Amino acid sequence: MAGVAHCSLQAKRLLLDPKFEGYKLSLEPLACYQLGLDAAVAEVQLRDDQYTLEHMRAFGMYNYLHLDSWYQDNVYYVDQFGRVMNLSVTLDTALQKPREVFRLPTDLTACDNRLCASMHFSSSTWVTLSDGTGRLYLIKSGKRGSSASEKWEIVFNEEMGSPFIVAHSVSFIKSDAHSLTVLLLRVEKDELDTKGSGFHVTLEWVTIAERKEGGHRYDIIKRRVLQGKSVPHYAAIEPSGDGLMIVSHKPFTFMQSESDKLEENDDAKVSNEKKDPLYYWQQTEDDVTITVHLPQDTTKDDIKVRFSPDNICVTLKDQTPLMEGNLYSSVDHESCTWIIRENKSLEISLIKKNEGCRWPELIIGDTRGELIMDPSQCSEIAESLMHLTSEVMNPNPEKENPPCNAQELEECDAFLEDGASLCRFDGDTLKVTHIINLGSNQYLFSVVVNPKEMPCFCLRHDVDALLWQPHSDQPENMWEHIATFNALGYVQASKQDKKFMACAPDYSYAALCECLRRVFIYRQPTPLATVLYNRKEGRQVGQVAKQLVATLEANDPILGFQATSERLFVLTTKTLFLIKVNSGN
C-alpha cells in the first residue's frame, strides 16, 4: 500500500497505574428508578436468512437506546407504533413519562425485510433517522431536550435502496452551504462468495447538501460505497466530512463505479508499459553480461559507454544517460567491453574484480533491470539455503525455551480480533492514508466524550482498557490516549454473558450489562476518608477502586444501554431503568 502511513498508538505513561490492586466489591446502595413504557420498543428479531455472525453483530446486538450527547441526560428510542420517544432527565425524583417527539410516516409492520429503526444526532439541531425499510430522513429538530423548542421537521426523505442502519453522521458547513454526511450499514448477499458466509458488509457514505439557489431544499451530491467481510466495530466520519475512520476485523475497500474502473484500467496499461525492464543482466562467478534493447537506426557512433572501477554510464545520441550509477561491486574497468548484436541490442561485458561474489543488484538502487538466472544457479542457491528449512514442524522439541505455549494462556485472554486494524480513508482519493495494526488490542466499546469531536474508542492494552480520542485535524497527534480504566480489559473478558459496555463521558466509571438483569459498574480509584492498610505489605492504602452490582427487576432482555456522567440508562422491551451512579455537582 504505497503512500500509507503505518502508525502506532502511543499510550501516556502518566495515565497508567502499574500498582493498581484491583476492584473492591462495594455494597453501597444504588438508587434505581424505573419507568413503564406506554408501548413496547420496536425490536426486530433476526430472520431465518440472517444467520451469520455479522448479522448478529450488526442487528442482533443492536443498541435500541440512543444517547443525545449534545444535551445532558437525554435519551431516545423508537416504539412499535413508529413513534420516536424521548426522556430528558433533570431530577430523578420527578421523572416524566417518555414523550413522543416524532412519528415515522411509514407503517413499519408492512415491510417484511425491515431492520430496526436507527438514528444519529448529527448536531445540536439535526438528526439523521432510518425507519429500517431503506428510507433515510434528515430532520431539523430545533433545540432538543425541552418540549418548548423541540419540533422535528423532515427536510429530506428518500428511498436509498435495501434496508440499512445509520452508523454515524456529521453536520458541517462547506463552500457556504450546509451539508450532512451519513454512513449507512448493510449486510448483503454476495453471490460471488462461495467459500465464505455468502454475505458481505457495505458502508455507504452519503453526502447531502443544501441547494445553493435557496429554498432550503436538500439533495444527494455524493454516494460512495465501501465493502468488507466483517461488521466494523467502529466507523465514524471526521467532523469536517473529509475523511473516515474504521476499526474492523477484516479490511474495507471502496467499490469503484464503471467510469473509475475504465480510468484505472487505462492507468494500469500505461504503468504496465512502463514496467517493461530497461535492461536484462546475468552473471557468472567471473563476469556480468548486460543486454539493452536499442531504438531503430541506432549506430555505433550514437553510443557512448564509460567504465570506471565502481561506476557505469551508457548514453545514446548525447541524451540523458540511459544507465548510470554505482555498481554493486568493483570491476576491472580496463577489461570491460561492449558490442552491438545483430538483433539491434547492446551487449556490455563487465569483469568482476572479486571473483565468486554473487551480485544481488547491478546498479545500486536501480530497479529498471531484470536479473536472468540459469537453472544451475537457481539449484545452487536453493541448496545453499536448505539448512534453514525442515520438513518437520518442530524438529527439535527438546530445545530449551520454546517460543510460546498457548496452553499457558487463560481462557479469558483468547479472543477472535487478533487481525483487527484501524484505517483512515481520505474522502477525495478514497484511499487509505493511515493504518494501525491493532494486533492483540481488543476493541471494547466507543463513547462520545465531546460531540464536536469524533467518538472515542476503547481498546484493551494488556489487562487495562485505554480510551483513545481521534483528532482528524492533528496529523502528528491523530489518536490521543485520554483515559485508562484499570484492569477493565481483564475483568470484562471474564463476563461471558456481557451484551453492552459503556463509560461516563467524564471517565468517572465504566459499566457493562449482561443480556438479562445484571449491571456491573467499575469506578475510578478515589481517595479514602479512613485509614486502610495492606496487610501483606504492611503499608497504608491511599485510594480504592469500587465495583458495584445492580440487579434490575425485569425478566425481559436488555435492549439498550447508555452512560452519562451521572446516570446509567437501561432499556428493556417495556421498561426504562435509570441507575444513579454519581451525584450531580
Side-chain angles (χ1 to χ4, degrees):
M1 297 171 84
V4 179
H6 289 264
C7 310
S8 59
L9 298 172
Q10 303 295 327
K12 292 181 181 175
R13 291 182 65 187
L14 291 174
L15 295 179
L16 302 175
D17 182 6
K19 295 182 179 177
F20 181 72
E21 295 182 337
Y23 291 97
K24 306 289 183 275
L25 180 63
S26 171
L27 301 178
E28 67 181 74
L30 284 167
C32 185
Y33 306 89
Q34 65 183 76
L35 289 169
L37 308 183
D38 291 338
V41 175
E43 182 186 5
V44 179
Q45 302 286 350
L46 291 180
R47 304 187 304 271
D48 290 344
D49 61 345
Q50 296 174 317
Y51 52 81
T52 69
L53 177 62
E54 305 316 318
H55 285 104
M56 174 56 73
R57 281 179 164 168
F59 314 127
M61 299 286 283
Y62 187 72
N63 194 338
Y64 285 85
L65 190 61
H66 306 278
L67 178 67
D68 184 356
S69 302
W70 298 88
Y71 299 92
Q72 186 81 18
D73 292 280
N74 203 33
V75 292
Y76 294 80
Y77 66 92
V78 180
D79 72 14
Q80 62 185 12
F81 298 124
R83 300 180 300 173
V84 178
M85 307 296 287
N86 164 245
L87 177 70
S88 186
V89 181
T90 48
L91 197 61
D92 298 276
T93 51
L95 291 174
Q96 304 291 321
K97 278 267 189 186
R99 61 191 179 90
E100 178 185 339
V101 293
F102 181 74
R103 190 177 293 230
L104 290 164
T106 49
D107 178 15
L108 298 185
T109 54
C111 181
D112 291 335
N113 66 334
R114 74 183 177 100
L115 301 173
C116 46
S118 55
M119 69 180 82
H120 190 267
F121 303 96
S122 316
S123 76
S124 58
T125 55
W126 287 89
V127 183
T128 47
L129 181 65
S130 160
D131 60 9
T133 68
R135 187 168 285 276
L136 178 67
Y137 299 89
L138 286 193
I139 291 167
K140 195 170 185 179
S141 64
K143 288 187 177 178
R144 299 183 294 273
S146 72
S147 51
S149 56
E150 185 169 5
K151 186 185 177 188
W152 289 36
E153 175 192 350
I154 299 173
V155 295
F156 174 89
N157 167 16
E158 194 160 315
E159 191 69 42
M160 302 296 290
S162 58
F164 58 86
I165 58 172
V166 176
H168 191 245
S169 65
V170 293
S171 165
F172 56 92
I173 305 291
K174 189 167 262 187
S175 306
D176 297 328
H178 177 239
S179 299
L180 286 111
T181 184
V182 194
L183 273 183
L184 314 179
L185 174 69
R186 296 180 176 96
V187 179
E188 298 179 322
K189 195 83 179 156
D190 189 342
E191 303 297 341
L192 300 174
D193 184 8
T194 54
K195 293 183 179 178
S197 66
F199 292 87
H200 62 236
V201 179
T202 62
L203 277 171
E204 185 174 5
W205 186 1
V206 183
T207 304
I208 302 161
E210 188 177 12
R211 284 185 186 172
K212 289 194 175 177
E213 58 265 22
H216 299 293
R217 289 286 303 275
Y218 283 77
D219 293 315
I220 295 174
I221 59 168
K222 209 179 279 185
R223 292 180 76 163
R224 294 150 288 182
V225 177
L226 294 106
Q227 188 173 303
K229 294 300 288 182
S230 66
V231 169
H233 301 298
Y234 172 97
I237 305 161
E238 295 173 357
S240 62
D242 293 331
L244 173 69
M245 291 187 195
I246 296 176
V247 176
S248 61
H249 182 43
K250 292 178 182 172
F252 275 77
T253 51
F254 272 99
M255 302 305 293
Q256 296 168 314
S257 62
E258 289 304 316
S259 58
D260 290 338
K261 282 182 184 173
L262 289 171
E263 281 178 26
E264 189 160 283
N265 287 340
D266 292 340
D267 292 342
K269 283 176 189 171
V270 172
S271 62
N272 284 339
E273 286 166 15
K274 287 179 186 173
K275 282 179 184 173
D276 283 343
L278 178 67
Y279 57 88
Y280 295 90
W281 64 288
Q282 52 195 112
Q283 62 180 319
T284 65
E285 291 189 347
D286 308 317
D287 58 37
V288 176
T289 305
I290 308 163
T291 305
V292 185
H293 183 70
L294 297 172
Q296 286 289 333
D297 306 323
T298 305
T299 63
K300 191 175 181 181
D301 296 330
D302 297 329
I303 301 168
K304 286 183 183 175
V305 182
R306 190 178 74 248
F307 300 110
S308 69
D310 301 307
N311 195 284
I312 186 173
C313 180
V314 179
T315 313
L316 291 182
K317 300 180 182 177
D318 297 324
Q319 296 174 354
T320 2
L322 195 66
M323 289 171 60
E324 184 180 28
N326 292 326
L327 295 166
Y328 176 77
S329 187
S330 299
V331 294
D332 181 358
H333 66 289
E334 291 179 353
S335 305
C336 296
T337 59
W338 62 271
I339 58 168
I340 298 178
R341 289 286 181 193
E342 293 172 3
N343 63 351
K344 283 293 176 187
S345 62
L346 171 66
E347 188 176 284
I348 304 168
S349 295
L350 306 178
I351 308 302
K352 292 180 179 178
K353 225 173 204 178
N354 304 317
E355 292 180 7
C357 171
R358 188 179 282 113
W359 293 13
E361 58 182 340
L362 177 66
I363 297 172
I364 295 171
D366 189 350
T367 56
R368 297 174 299 165
E370 185 177 309
L371 171 63
I372 298 171
M373 281 196 281
D374 61 45
S376 63
Q377 285 179 318
C378 291
S379 59
E380 192 183 317
I381 291 169
E383 207 171 298
S384 69
L385 297 174
M386 192 68 78
H387 71 284
L388 299 174
T389 65
S390 170
E391 292 178 3
V392 186
M393 282 293 287
N394 187 6
N396 190 4
E398 302 303 320
K399 186 179 175 184
E400 289 184 14
N401 300 326
C404 175
N405 182 0
Q407 291 177 339
E408 291 179 358
L409 292 173
E410 294 191 42
E411 187 181 344
C412 65
D413 287 320
F415 51 87
L416 298 170
E417 312 308 332
D418 52 357
S421 61
L422 164 60
C423 294
R424 191 257 175 194
F425 290 86
D426 183 86
D428 294 325
T429 63
L430 310 185
K431 296 277 195 316
V432 176
T433 60
H434 299 73
I435 187 167
I436 295 175
N437 178 14
L438 297 179
S440 60
N441 300 131
Q442 180 190 9
Y443 175 88
L444 300 177
F445 61 89
S446 65
V447 60
V448 177
V449 169
N450 176 0
K452 292 179 181 177
E453 293 253 25
M454 295 179 76
C456 301
F457 52 86
C458 190
L459 302 176
R460 178 176 175 174
H461 285 246
D462 196 14
V463 297
D464 296 333
L466 272 55
L467 198 62
W468 300 88
Q469 173 68 68
H471 298 294
S472 56
D473 56 343
Q474 299 177 29
E476 72 292 339
N477 184 31
M478 198 167 274
W479 296 281
E480 183 189 1
H481 174 202
I482 58 170
T484 301
F485 297 101
N486 298 297
L488 184 67
Y490 185 80
V491 168
Q492 61 81 32
S494 65
K495 300 286 186 285
Q496 293 185 345
D497 292 331
K498 72 174 180 292
K499 187 170 185 180
F500 299 117
M501 286 186 74
C503 76
D506 62 0
Y507 334 129
S508 59
Y509 69 91
L512 62 88
C513 72
E514 295 183 336
C515 298
L516 280 169
R517 294 193 193 89
R518 288 202 299 178
V519 176
F520 298 87
I521 298 161
Y522 301 93
R523 293 189 189 275
Q524 292 282 19
T526 50
L528 287 167
T530 56
V531 177
L532 184 70
Y533 282 91
N534 181 321
R535 289 180 182 175
K536 277 186 181 177
E537 298 178 14
R539 61 180 177 80
Q540 187 174 333
V541 177
Q543 52 185 14
V544 69
K546 293 179 182 177
Q547 173 194 337
L548 298 96
V549 183
T551 304
L552 307 176
E553 294 178 13
N555 295 319
D556 296 320
I558 293 174
L559 297 180
F561 188 68
Q562 296 290 353
T564 67
S565 296
E566 289 186 32
R567 300 171 183 86
L568 272 172
F569 294 85
V570 187
L571 181 69
T572 67
T573 312
K574 297 171 186 170
T575 314
L576 181 57
F577 293 88
L578 280 76
I579 302 171
K580 184 81 168 177
V581 183
N582 293 324
S583 55
N585 295 330

